[in-house]
């Protein structure tokens, strides 16, 4: 972008909460046509949120209605990421405020992501449909290193939820805490965990605790993005839904509630929907403008 070109407007929205002080804040740039990679990274770094979304014209063949299909890229303060759920929800809500609820289609680096926006009692809610997910194991040595970086004894893990790496647009290591107290006590070695995550190409570590069969509390360290913790993580929620279904820990048809951000003072709620016959995972939540 030339130095004399006007800077694009950077909107601020939160996702997975109807309150500006809850959920996960994201930057949204509705027209990033004139921006190059360095511009987008600089904007994301200057804003300081875990991710900022940048919209561009839709690629050929994307489909979707005219004016409701876009290319989208996501930047953390340190690097581009292939997919970001909360920034997708935030962007969809921002668009719906301007063009109304309905269906949107986004072309991400991870693949095509449809989003449906609805409105109820004045609250906009966006539900994304992930790319096709997959789940893989983790080597014993890598698991031991992750636990060491977190300062979690192996005995603090819930044996009902085996550690796995899950993908639904981005890779996340799923680790389940045996108690809510273990989940609440998060003080990890930032550099050590970042090094492991870069080697394994992980976006976050999805730390979970099961409250009931359909309710979970989650936290997501995000050192590779330059952020200690992500307040509400849609991509990780999608990956976790795939994890539960793949391991037979949730039915083929299920609606799950994930609470995230409580320990950061930014409570948010994510709804994860699994449908029989469709490997994709749906993640939804409310969103609102911050300022």
């Amino acid at each position: 972008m030339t130095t004399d070109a006007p800077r694009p407007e950077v909107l601020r929205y939160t996702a997975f909460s109807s309150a500006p002080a809850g959920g996960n804040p994201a930057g949204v740039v509705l027209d990033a046509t004139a921006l190059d990679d360095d511009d987008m990274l600089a904007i994301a770094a200057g804003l300081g949120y875990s991710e900022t979304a940048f919209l561009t014209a839709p690629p050929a063949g994307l489909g979707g209605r005219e004016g409701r299909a876009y290319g989208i890229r996501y930047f953390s303060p340190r690097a581009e990421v292939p997919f970001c759920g909360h920034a997708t929800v935030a962007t969809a809500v921002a668009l719906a405020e301007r063009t109304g609820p309905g269906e949107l289609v986004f072309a991400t680096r991870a693949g095509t992501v449809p989003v449906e926006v609805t409105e109820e009692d004045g609250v906009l809610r966006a539900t994304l449909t992930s790319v096709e997910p997959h789940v893989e194991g983790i080597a014993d040595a890598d698991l031991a290193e992750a636990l060491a970086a977190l300062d979690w004894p192996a005995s603090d893990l819930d044996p009902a939820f085996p550690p796995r790496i899950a993908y639904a647009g981005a890779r996340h290591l799923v680790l389940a805490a045996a108690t809510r107290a273990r989940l609440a006590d998060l003080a990890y070695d930032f550099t050590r965990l970042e090094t492991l995550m870069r080697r394994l190409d992980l976006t976050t570590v999805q730390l979970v605790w099961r409250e009931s069969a359909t309710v979970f509390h989650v936290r997501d360290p995000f050192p590779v993005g330059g952020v200690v913790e992500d307040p509400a993580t849609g991509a990780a929620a999608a990956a976790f839904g795939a994890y539960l279904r793949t391991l037979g820990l949730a039915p083929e048809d299920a609606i799950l509630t994930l609470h995230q951000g409580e320990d950061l003072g930014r409570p948010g709620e994510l709804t994860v929907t699994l449908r029989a016959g469709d490997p994709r995972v749906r993640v939804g939540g409310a969103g609102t403008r911050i300022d």
Side-chain angles (χ1 to χ4, degrees), residues 177-193:
T179 65
R180 181 67 178 90
R182 172 69 280 175
L183 184 69
D185 184 14
L186 182 61
Y188 68 92
D189 186 324
F190 189 96
T191 301
R192 187 172 183 178
L193 188 60

Side-chain angles (χ1 to χ4, degrees), residues 46-183:
L47 190 58
Y49 292 158
S50 55
E51 272 99 6
T52 298
F54 298 86
L55 289 184
T56 59
L62 176 61
R65 290 169 46 201
E66 184 177 354
R68 301 191 70 86
Y70 300 88
I72 189 169
R73 297 175 70 183
Y74 312 94
F75 282 78
S76 79
R78 285 191 178 178
E80 185 173 10
V81 297
F83 175 65
C84 173
H86 86 274
T88 301
V89 167
T91 302
V93 168
L95 289 169
E97 287 184 345
R98 289 153 178 80
T99 61
E103 296 182 357
L104 298 160
V105 182
F106 295 113
T108 78
R109 279 179 49 196
T112 301
V113 175
V115 181
E116 182 178 2
V117 184
T118 58
E119 183 176 3
E120 184 175 351
D121 297 328
V123 175
L124 289 169
R125 181 180 180 86
T127 299
L128 66 87
T129 299
S130 77
V131 298
E132 188 162 340
H134 58 80
V135 178
E136 64 189 67
I138 180 171
D140 290 344
D142 292 333
L143 174 59
E145 178 62 12
L147 293 175
L150 290 167
D151 196 22
W152 281 26
S155 58
D156 280 356
L157 294 177
D158 185 340
F161 294 83
R164 295 288 189 274
I165 294 173
Y167 169 90
R171 288 163 56 85
H172 306 266
L173 172 60
V174 178
L175 298 175
T179 65
R180 181 67 178 90
R182 172 69 280 175
L183 184 69

Side-chain angles (χ1 to χ4, degrees), residues 161-222:
F161 294 83
R164 295 288 189 274
I165 294 173
Y167 169 90
R171 288 163 56 85
H172 306 266
L173 172 60
V174 178
L175 298 175
T179 65
R180 181 67 178 90
R182 172 69 280 175
L183 184 69
D185 184 14
L186 182 61
Y188 68 92
D189 186 324
F190 189 96
T191 301
R192 187 172 183 178
L193 188 60
E194 178 186 10
T195 300
L196 174 67
M197 290 173 68
R198 290 195 182 281
R199 181 163 60 79
L200 298 180
D201 190 28
L202 299 175
T203 298
T204 75
V205 178
Q206 173 85 328
L207 305 174
V208 307
W209 174 72
R210 176 176 58 178
E211 178 180 314
S212 71
T214 60
V215 178
F216 295 84
H217 294 254
V218 301
R219 302 184 73 173
D220 282 81
F222 187 33

